[in-house]
Amino acid sequence: MLDHLEIKTPDLARTLHFYATLLAPLGYRQMVDDAAKGFGDGERLDFFLTEGEASANVHFAFTAPDRRAVDAIYAIGRKAGFTLDREPALAPHIHPNYYAGYLRDPDDRLIEFVCHAPI
């Protein structure tokens, strides 16, 4: 449904590092290095960062292929010293296989990594 997402940040270098680090396990890499920094997986180019006043009150989720990937991304975030919000866990109130871990990006946005698969 969404074609792409662009968020603003006052500290582009710090925020770029955050997303580059955590999106790499999902096969995402920075593919555009202009005023807008764009990430994609080689097939899609759908996540952008630009400099400016931080986009506030934003929560979004990246799909992970399996629960191991959610755990690995959270561990990478912990090791990198990023702000952790909630450890990976099942959220059966959403649906029985909803497995997610949450971090806060440098602008304090809630960023979720989620897997919907049963394992």
Side-chain angles (χ1 to χ4, degrees):
M1 182 162 148
L2 293 176
D3 183 72
H4 65 276
L5 173 67
E6 178 183 294
I7 61 171
K8 294 186 181 302
T9 178
D11 190 341
L12 191 55
R14 184 174 171 212
T15 304
L16 185 63
H17 171 69
F18 174 87
Y19 286 102
T21 300
L22 297 179
L23 294 178
L26 299 178
Y28 266 65
R29 66 187 187 289
Q30 184 182 346
M31 299 176 70
V32 174
D33 189 14
D34 205 356
K37 311 298 183 189
F39 287 84
D41 63 3
E43 294 180 26
R44 300 180 329 187
L45 182 62
D46 54 14
F47 182 68
F48 295 86
L49 303 171
T50 59
E51 197 159 17
E53 187 177 335
S55 306
N57 302 316
V58 178
H59 163 206
F60 49 91
F62 294 98
T63 302
D66 53 45
R67 293 178 187 182
R68 287 187 317 267
V70 173
D71 293 339
I73 291 165
Y74 193 84
I76 289 166
R78 179 190 322 257
K79 185 175 180 182
F82 298 146
T83 302
L84 307 174
D85 191 86
R86 284 175 267 167
E87 289 189 22
L90 283 169
H93 62 284
I94 297 173
H95 73 69
N97 297 319
Y98 198 99
Y99 187 80
Y102 302 81
L103 296 96
R104 293 280 176 171
D105 81 358
D107 296 311
D108 202 38
R109 287 178 283 253
L110 183 62
I111 311 305
E112 177 179 351
F113 293 87
V114 61
C115 173
H116 298 277
I119 56 172

